[in-house]
Protein backbone atom coordinates (compact mmCIF):
# COMPACT_ATOMS: atom_id res chain seq x y z
CA UNK A 1 0.00 0.00 0.00
CA UNK A 2 1.43 3.38 -0.99
CA UNK A 3 0.85 6.46 1.10
CA UNK A 4 0.40 9.83 -0.57
CA UNK A 5 2.05 12.77 1.16
CA UNK A 6 -0.27 15.40 2.58
CA UNK A 7 -0.17 19.00 1.40
CA UNK A 8 0.11 21.75 4.04
CA UNK A 9 -3.63 22.40 3.60
CA UNK A 10 -4.38 18.75 4.36
CA UNK A 11 -2.14 18.78 7.44
CA UNK A 12 -3.92 21.86 8.81
CA UNK A 13 -7.28 20.18 8.10
CA UNK A 14 -6.42 17.15 10.28
CA UNK A 15 -8.23 16.79 13.61
CA UNK A 16 -6.46 18.00 16.76
CA UNK A 17 -5.42 14.41 17.53
CA UNK A 18 -4.90 12.60 14.22
CA UNK A 19 -4.19 8.89 14.04
CA UNK A 20 -0.63 7.71 13.57
CA UNK A 21 -1.60 6.56 10.06
CA UNK A 22 -2.56 10.14 9.22
CA UNK A 23 0.77 11.26 10.70
CA UNK A 24 2.56 8.68 8.54
CA UNK A 25 0.88 10.14 5.46
CA UNK A 26 1.83 13.69 6.47
CA UNK A 27 5.43 12.53 6.96
CA UNK A 28 5.32 10.62 3.66
CA UNK A 29 6.29 7.30 5.24
CA UNK A 30 4.54 3.96 5.06
CA UNK A 31 2.91 2.16 7.96
CA UNK A 32 5.64 -0.48 8.20
CA UNK A 33 8.35 2.12 8.79
CA UNK A 34 6.06 4.25 10.95
CA UNK A 35 5.15 1.45 13.34
CA UNK A 36 8.79 0.30 13.45
CA UNK A 37 9.87 3.82 14.48
CA UNK A 38 7.18 3.83 17.17
CA UNK A 39 8.30 0.40 18.49
CA UNK A 40 11.93 1.57 18.54
CA UNK A 41 10.92 4.82 20.32
CA UNK A 42 12.37 6.77 17.38
CA UNK A 43 9.19 8.31 15.98
CA UNK A 44 9.94 12.04 15.65
CA UNK A 45 6.88 13.22 17.59
CA UNK A 46 5.18 12.01 20.75
CA UNK A 47 2.72 9.15 20.23
CA UNK A 48 -0.19 9.07 22.68
CA UNK A 49 -1.98 5.75 23.26
CA UNK A 50 -5.76 5.85 23.69
CA UNK A 51 -6.56 2.25 24.51
CA UNK A 52 -5.50 0.41 21.35
CA UNK A 53 -5.53 3.56 19.21
CA UNK A 54 -2.37 5.58 18.74
CA UNK A 55 -2.65 9.34 18.23
CA UNK A 56 -0.37 12.34 17.82
CA UNK A 57 -0.93 16.03 18.38
CA UNK A 58 -1.53 17.99 15.17
CA UNK A 59 0.43 20.90 16.67
CA UNK A 60 3.48 18.61 17.16
CA UNK A 61 3.14 17.37 13.58
CA UNK A 62 2.84 20.91 12.19
CA UNK A 63 5.89 21.99 14.22
CA UNK A 64 7.98 18.99 13.14
CA UNK A 65 7.12 19.59 9.48
CA UNK A 66 8.20 23.21 9.84
CA UNK A 67 4.79 24.55 8.91
CA UNK A 68 4.09 27.89 10.52
CA UNK A 69 1.32 30.44 10.69
CA UNK A 70 2.99 32.29 7.79
CA UNK A 71 2.96 29.12 5.69
CA UNK A 72 -0.75 28.77 6.46
CA UNK A 73 -1.31 32.37 5.39
CA UNK A 74 0.58 31.70 2.13
CA UNK A 75 -1.58 28.66 1.42
CA UNK A 76 -4.75 30.65 2.07
CA UNK A 77 -3.61 33.60 -0.07
CA UNK A 78 -2.68 31.24 -2.91
CA UNK A 79 -6.12 29.64 -2.68
CA UNK A 80 -7.78 33.06 -2.67
CA UNK A 81 -5.73 34.17 -5.68
CA UNK A 82 -6.74 31.05 -7.60
CA UNK A 83 -10.41 31.66 -6.77
CA UNK A 84 -10.09 35.30 -7.89
CA UNK A 85 -8.58 34.20 -11.21
CA UNK A 86 -11.74 32.21 -11.92
CA UNK A 87 -14.09 35.06 -10.97
CA UNK A 88 -15.64 37.10 -13.78
CA UNK A 89 -14.24 40.57 -14.18
CA UNK A 90 -16.36 43.68 -13.73
CA UNK A 91 -16.25 46.01 -16.68
CA UNK A 92 -15.65 49.66 -15.95
CA UNK A 93 -18.61 51.82 -16.89
CA UNK A 94 -21.08 48.99 -16.30
CA UNK A 95 -23.89 49.92 -13.94
CA UNK A 96 -23.34 48.67 -10.43
CA UNK A 97 -26.01 47.42 -8.07
CA UNK A 98 -26.18 50.91 -6.54
CA UNK A 99 -26.84 52.54 -9.91
CA UNK A 100 -30.20 51.65 -11.33
CA UNK A 101 -30.99 51.69 -14.99
CA UNK A 102 -33.56 54.29 -16.05
CA UNK A 103 -37.09 52.96 -16.22
CA UNK A 104 -40.06 54.13 -18.24
CA UNK A 105 -41.68 55.46 -15.05
CA UNK A 106 -38.88 58.02 -14.58
CA UNK A 107 -39.73 59.86 -17.87
Amino acid sequence: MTTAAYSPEQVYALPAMPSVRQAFAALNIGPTLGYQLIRDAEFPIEVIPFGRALRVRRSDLVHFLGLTESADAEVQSASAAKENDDAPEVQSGAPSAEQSAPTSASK
Side-chain angles (χ1 to χ4, degrees), residues 7 10 14 27 30-31 49 54 100 103:
S7 69
Q10 291 171 311
L14 289 173
L27 296 169
L54 299 174
S100 60
T103 62

Side-chain angles (χ1 to χ4, degrees), residues 36-50:
Q36 184 64 47
L37 291 171
I38 291 170
R39 274 191 300 276
D40 295 343
E42 294 180 9
F43 198 69
I45 55 179
E46 181 182 7
V47 176
I48 303 160
F50 284 103

